[in-house]
Amino acid sequence: MIDQYVWDLHEVNETQVAVVGGKGAHLGVLSRIDGIRVPAGFCVTTDAFRRIMAQAPSIDDLLDQLSRLNPDDREAIRTLSAEIRRTVEGLAIPGDVAAAITRALARLGERTACAVRSSATAEDLPTASFAGQQDTYLNIVGPAAVLRHISRCWASLFTERAVTYRQRNGIGHRTVHMAVVVQQMVFPHAAGVLFTADPVTGNRKVATVDAGFGLGEALVSGLVNPDVFTVRHGEVVARAIAVKQRAVHALPSGGTRDVAIDAQRQQQPALTDAQAVRLVQLGRRIETHFGRPQDIEWCLADDGFQIVQSRPITTLFPVPETGDQENHVYVSVGHQQMMTDPMKPLGLSLWQLTAMVPMHEAGGRLFVDVTRRLASPAGRAALLDLMGRGDPLVRDALETVLDRDGFVPSLPDAGPGGPSAARAPAPIETDPALVAELIERSQASLAALERDIRTKTGPALFDFLLEAFEEHKRGLGDPLSFQAIMAGMEATWWLNDKLEEWLGEKNAADTLTLSAPGNVTSEMGLALLDVADVIRPQPEVVAFLQGALDEGFLDEGFLDELAKLAGGAEVRAALEAYLDRYGMRCVGEIDITRPRWRERPTALVPVLLDNVRNFGPGAAERRFQQGRQKAREKEQDVLSRLRALPDGDRKADEAKRMIDRVRTFIGYREYPKYGIVSRYFVYKQALLAEAGRLVQADVLSEKEDIFYLTFPELHDVVRSHQVDDRLLRQRKDAFRSYLALTPPRVLTSDGEAVTGAYRRDDVPAGALTGLPVSAGTVEGRARVILDMADADLEAGDILVTTFTDPSWSPLFVAVAGLVTEVGGLMTHGAVIAREYGLPAVVGVEQATRLIRDGQRIRVHGTDGYVEILP
């Protein structure tokens, strides 16, 4: 019989998290899975917890104070959370609640030893495990002791670690309630943890078993190192047996203690191979039931395995859904596009609808399936060559997968011939008129889009957009555009390869591309220097912007405020002109849902103030001319040295042709992305206008809700004027969970995240290895900046960040060097670093964690490594 305050575990199912918490719900489900044994017990429901909390109105005030604290204010959190815990533990359990618990205990046996375990409603969830945030008490004997420890479990909802975890994850303290699980205690020979997927690599075909003697607390607390068994396809494929000197055992009178293990047993395995395989079989049964890999706590007693907890492994990167059982290899789109943050569903959907190749979603990111290209010799060679030139870590990761026998099928080449032995320049003339024609086509297409979309609303807008997406793809697929992009890239590669061969000089093309004409991204950074020139002579404007930024009250209305200040109208006009040209850009611009500079111009203010402080008038033109002069001097130097070589005239003539080719086409490399985001802003404005109409019609609560729908789903909402609020909530929760995931460069259908390695022996000990993308060496103060809006730069600083897309280029004019965690030879940050002459190393794994803000570092942009200086 179900009581309001106490439910037997067998009465609980997965829909009752709000009543029995995450752990209780999981245990209830586990207890009904065929072949899975769970210790008998019951749940004290969240109704009992709410009843207790209602007895102390002062807790409300304390929770209000707690919610206002900064998650980093550890001292204040520690003090307040301790006060709440003391209050909860001091409350008397109401008689009817205590009676219900005592009756349930009697059914287990009043003197039965019990485990008393916290079970919060935000715990063991698919998107957040909350592992270890609340408390568990083992071997509790007798009704009085059990009741006392139930109170302690209620109070543990407010441990410092639990409070901080919730605040960092945006979870309100009043939205989480505490149930308590009371179970019959198991006294095991061995216990531990089973992961049904490899928790390090993510491989879903590999399970790992951690095992130790006695209770599992010895492993959880770090008292001993576990035995580790690796199981794949029903076989132990690796084992590491630890020396286990201690174990945690239950005391006859209650509680636990750690004891020494006999010397002759210390090196014995806690499990046999057969037991490890049997345990994994049970784990697979549990995993199948829940539909995702599990982190399972188990005990081995005389009569077999018992499961005492199972939760999702929330740290694994999801695997794209395919609907087949074939092996697949995926390459991250975000690492190519310099945006590894998760995208919202509308952003994912729009990118998929406008991309030139099919893309698969997982973890809020996009991936391209390259399995078939890897399967044939010609396709494999071409793909590895392309990836290797862009990002050696991707190439190495792909080669790692290829080295595994049979994972990638072997297919014959589709047609005669194989990959060319050497790259031939793209078959177009070195003619600036070709670039001008391409830009004119793009501008004409954008103008037609802006004109024709104005009259479209409702379902007609979506029909129009589907046609616009096809035009979008026609532009991206323009053969001439592709040839122009490849002409600049291939000429760069040719120059670097040949000039190193002939002159022994690395990355010579980096100087030859300085201030290349027509690069819309580098022009964007220089244009912001021109805006700073307009601001600098206006002290009231500078003081207003700096004061508003320092005090944290700068909002999107600041452009209107400028008009009230002396010189403000002129500054506003300059900013508006800049936004007219570049306002469609923003950090993470491939995601249509990200706020554009036109929508949030405050993002530019820190950079503008840095430019006002660090530069003098005319800096943009001066820098451009200096770069152009250096490129001319480098060209003359290279050609004169080549002519002095055997067969030098031929070599110099070939190099001259390639230098002309680079300077003609390399700037265009940035234009197609500019065209994409220009079109995206038009799409976004139209969709937000439609969202505004849905809000007015009470279909949506706020316009930004559309960001959590795919394009087809939004189309349906506009047609039907109905939306699934539950779906929106699920999507928002999922997006929040994706923020904590790090996407891999290469991902397999087994779930394995393959990172790749540089495999170099020419890097000094202690240096951080990366990819050299812009020549030169520079030493300076590292500024670790994760958000462009947090920029606070001084001359000579070196920018260290996760990735840079085109929107970061305004910062490049103010720094002396660049280090990123993600990037390749021809990604936007590398191209702009070369054009500005900044030594740059990209693809430095964990750079933002290994380099501290303010440290002095030396960037070796020619050789591809970073030294952290004492």
Side-chain angles (χ1 to χ4, degrees):
M1 183 182 75
I2 293 180
D3 181 275
Q4 181 181 1
Y5 299 118
V6 174
W7 289 15
D8 190 276
L9 275 180
H10 290 289
E11 299 167 333
V12 172
N13 63 49
E14 62 265 38
T15 68
Q16 292 158 335
V17 171
V19 180
V20 298
K23 187 183 283 110
H26 268 71
L27 287 168
V29 174
L30 283 167
S31 69
R32 292 201 299 276
I33 299 175
D34 186 39
I36 303 300
R37 296 181 58 211
V38 174
F42 58 88
C43 296
V44 182
T45 69
T46 53
D47 281 343
F49 172 76
R50 276 189 284 266
R51 178 96 174 267
I52 284 290
M53 295 291 281
Q55 290 183 199
S58 63
I59 290 178
D60 268 346
D61 294 334
L62 295 172
L63 289 178
D64 286 339
Q65 294 177 49
L66 202 58
S67 64
R68 290 193 291 268
L69 292 179
N70 185 309
D72 295 322
D73 190 347
R74 297 184 62 180
E75 187 56 40
I77 288 175
R78 184 178 300 119
T79 301
L80 265 177
S81 60
E83 186 175 351
I84 295 173
R85 288 198 306 278
R86 283 194 301 271
T87 303
V88 173
E89 286 190 41
L91 295 171
I93 299 178
D96 55 339
V97 176
I101 295 169
T102 304
R103 284 195 299 273
L105 263 179
R107 290 194 290 273
L108 292 179
E110 277 197 3
R111 302 304 298 174
T112 296
C114 292
V116 181
R117 314 174 68 197
S118 303
S119 179
T121 53
E123 182 177 309
D124 295 350
L125 304 178
T127 56
S129 74
F130 285 73
Q133 299 305 312
Q134 284 89 39
D135 291 342
T136 287
Y137 301 95
L138 300 179
N139 197 28
I140 308 303
V141 180
V146 168
L147 289 170
R148 185 166 63 251
H149 285 86
I150 287 172
S151 288
R152 289 182 179 178
C153 284
W154 286 331
S156 75
L157 188 64
F158 302 103
T159 61
E160 181 186 347
R161 61 185 182 270
V163 167
T164 302
Y165 190 95
R166 287 196 295 273
Q167 300 211 167
R168 291 192 186 283
N169 286 275
I171 298 170
H173 301 300
R174 285 188 175 83
T175 65
V176 185
H177 300 101
M178 181 67 82
V180 180
V181 175
V182 179
Q183 286 179 281
Q184 186 172 330
M185 188 70 190
V186 178
F187 302 100
H189 303 304
V193 180
L194 159 65
F195 296 96
T196 63
D198 189 313
V200 177
T201 68
N203 194 325
R204 271 64 163 179
K205 298 290 179 65
V206 173
T208 62
V209 177
D210 290 4
F213 293 124
L215 293 167
E217 304 314 294
L219 305 186
V220 174
S221 66
L223 182 66
V224 297
N225 291 322
D227 297 341
V228 180
F229 299 83
T230 303
V231 179
R232 184 184 180 106
H233 299 315
E235 180 184 357
V236 174
V237 295
R239 71 183 63 75
I241 306 305
V243 177
K244 301 171 288 296
Q245 297 177 332
R246 314 288 295 178
V248 174
H249 286 171
L251 295 170
S253 59
T256 62
R257 72 172 179 180
D258 67 273
V259 298
I261 295 176
D262 293 341
Q264 65 268 28
R265 291 188 65 213
Q266 289 180 5
Q267 297 186 51
Q268 290 179 5
L271 294 178
T272 66
D273 282 6
Q275 287 172 329
V277 169
R278 170 61 182 151
L279 178 60
V280 171
Q281 290 171 344
L282 294 174
R284 293 289 179 216
R285 190 174 295 183
I286 294 169
E287 177 186 68
T288 299
H289 183 90
F290 287 115
R292 53 175 52 86
Q294 297 287 301
D295 164 358
I296 298 168
E297 294 180 24
W298 55 270
C299 296
L300 177 62
D302 291 332
D303 51 355
F305 287 106
Q306 297 200 49
I307 305 301
V308 295
Q309 187 162 333
S310 181
R311 63 169 72 93
I313 308 176
T314 59
T315 56
L316 297 179
F317 199 87
V319 182
E321 294 181 7
T322 59
D324 62 41
Q325 298 300 311
E326 303 296 320
N327 290 341
H328 295 269
V329 182
Y330 303 97
V331 170
S332 163
V333 173
H335 284 81
Q336 313 301 313
Q337 291 294 332
M338 296 300 93
M339 216 294 275
T340 55
D341 292 345
M343 298 167 67
K344 296 185 177 77
L346 188 62
L348 292 164
S349 179
L350 261 291
W351 193 261
Q352 288 172 306
L353 286 166
T354 53
M356 300 302 292
V357 296
M359 293 185 178
H360 306 268
E361 184 272 332
R365 281 80 167 185
L366 291 170
F367 295 84
V368 173
D369 188 341
V370 296
T371 317
R372 291 196 67 81
R373 292 187 67 182
L374 290 173
S376 69
R380 182 185 314 133
L383 180 66
L384 291 176
D385 184 39
L386 182 64
M387 292 294 164
R389 288 187 177 273
D391 184 342
L393 293 177
V394 174
R395 175 173 184 147
D396 186 77
L398 291 173
E399 289 176 331
T400 299
V401 176
L402 286 167
D403 286 343
R404 292 172 187 160
D405 290 343
F407 190 85
V408 175
S410 183
L411 300 173
D413 290 332
S420 56
R423 287 183 175 274
I428 57 173
E429 296 296 319
T430 305
D431 182 0
L434 293 174
V435 174
E437 178 189 342
L438 287 167
I439 292 173
E440 187 178 332
R441 284 188 204 172
S442 178
Q443 290 174 338
S445 176
L446 178 63
L449 172 66
E450 290 173 330
R451 181 189 66 238
D452 296 341
I453 204 170
R454 287 180 191 140
T455 58
K456 305 298 190 292
T457 62
L461 170 64
F462 289 81
D463 295 337
F464 172 82
L465 283 172
L466 288 171
E467 294 177 12
F469 297 161
E470 294 307 309
E471 170 62 21
H472 184 124
K473 289 195 283 189
R474 278 192 291 274
L476 287 179
D478 184 338
L480 182 62
S481 178
F482 179 75
Q483 287 174 306
I485 293 169
M486 292 307 299
M489 292 169 63
E490 290 177 338
T492 301
W493 296 335
W494 189 96
L495 284 167
N496 279 334
D497 291 347
K498 290 297 184 182
L499 295 182
E500 184 170 5
E501 176 188 338
W502 292 338
L503 300 176
E505 185 173 346
K506 291 182 180 179
N507 302 324
D510 293 357
T511 307
L512 295 168
T513 58
L514 287 171
S515 298
N519 187 317
V520 68
T521 305
S522 61
E523 289 169 357
M524 178 174 69
L526 296 175
L528 206 61
L529 285 175
D530 290 335
V531 178
D533 285 353
V534 180
I535 295 173
R536 194 176 293 106
Q538 311 298 339
E540 278 194 45
V541 172
V542 174
F544 165 75
L545 293 176
Q546 189 65 62
L549 194 64
D550 291 344
E551 297 299 324
F553 61 81
L554 188 70
D555 60 30
E556 306 313 324
F558 83 96
L559 287 173
D560 294 329
E561 293 297 315
L562 287 178
K564 303 171 186 176
L565 305 173
E570 185 182 357
V571 171
R572 175 175 175 162
L575 267 169
E576 290 283 5
Y578 185 87
L579 292 170
D580 286 344
R581 180 88 198 272
Y582 303 111
M584 77 296 291
R585 310 219 81 149
C586 68
V587 174
E589 61 193 10
I590 70 170
D591 182 354
I592 195 174
T593 72
R594 290 286 190 106
R596 311 285 136 172
W597 289 343
R598 169 54 80 182
E599 298 169 311
R600 192 174 292 173
T602 52
L604 295 171
V605 172
V607 190
L608 278 167
L609 289 171
D610 284 346
N611 289 349
V612 167
R613 185 174 63 250
N614 295 329
F615 296 93
E621 179 62 20
R622 195 160 52 250
R623 284 181 66 108
F624 184 78
Q625 293 302 337
Q626 287 170 350
R628 189 158 65 176
Q629 182 61 30
K630 285 181 183 176
R632 285 175 182 155
E633 291 170 358
K634 185 66 175 180
E635 178 180 336
Q636 292 166 2
D637 172 61
V638 164
L639 295 179
S640 65
R641 287 160 62 198
L642 287 174
R643 288 194 180 97
L645 298 175
D647 197 19
D649 286 344
R650 177 188 63 81
K651 290 173 180 173
D653 288 345
E654 287 183 10
K656 172 61 176 168
R657 283 197 299 275
M658 289 301 174
I659 291 169
D660 290 345
R661 201 163 178 80
V662 164
R663 294 196 68 81
T664 297
F665 292 114
I666 200 65
Y668 179 71
R669 163 74 179 80
E670 294 293 295
Y671 199 86
K673 185 76 169 286
Y674 177 77
I676 289 171
V677 296
S678 296
R679 293 182 71 91
Y680 264 31
F681 192 39
V682 177
Y683 305 153
K684 182 179 186 179
Q685 288 172 306
L687 291 172
L688 282 175
E690 199 61 39
R693 287 185 277 273
L694 291 171
V695 171
Q696 288 179 337
D698 292 327
V699 177
L700 296 176
S701 298
E702 54 187 21
K703 290 196 294 185
E704 288 72 18
D705 281 347
I706 67 169
F707 296 161
Y708 297 93
L709 299 170
T710 66
F711 183 83
E713 288 167 348
L714 179 54
H715 193 176
D716 288 341
V717 170
V718 169
R719 275 196 296 249
S720 67
H721 267 218
Q722 292 184 327
V723 70
D724 184 345
D725 291 327
R726 187 174 58 87
L727 175 66
L728 289 175
R729 287 194 299 273
Q730 288 173 348
R731 293 274 176 81
K732 290 175 183 180
D733 288 343
F735 179 76
R736 279 192 292 270
S737 74
Y738 297 153
L739 290 168
L741 298 177
T742 300
R745 283 175 165 82
V746 171
L747 179 67
T748 74
S749 49
D750 284 353
E752 185 176 6
V754 191
T755 55
Y758 285 107
R759 306 188 193 283
R760 291 170 53 184
D761 55 11
D762 59 344
V763 174
L768 307 180
T769 307
L771 178 66
V773 296
S774 186
T777 300
V778 66
E779 181 179 319
R781 180 181 68 157
R783 292 312 315 272
V784 180
I785 299 174
L786 304 181
D787 186 335
M788 188 174 144
D790 295 332
D792 181 12
L793 298 166
E794 295 177 4
D797 284 348
I798 296 169
L799 174 62
V800 180
T801 190
T802 47
F803 58 81
T804 61
D805 60 11
S807 71
W808 284 76
S809 64
L811 264 63
F812 286 21
V813 299
V815 297
L818 174 69
V819 179
T820 69
E821 294 180 348
V822 177
L825 272 172
M826 298 310 296
T827 48
H828 301 275
V831 171
I832 305 308
R834 289 193 288 271
E835 291 213 5
Y836 285 170
L838 301 177
V841 180
V842 303
V844 180
E845 291 283 279
Q846 298 189 54
T848 60
R849 296 173 195 161
L850 298 174
I851 300 172
R852 294 196 309 274
D853 187 56
Q855 277 187 314
R856 289 195 68 77
I857 62 173
R858 186 180 296 126
V859 177
H860 295 263
T862 304
D863 296 311
Y865 63 90
V866 180
E867 291 180 284
I868 300 176
L869 304 177

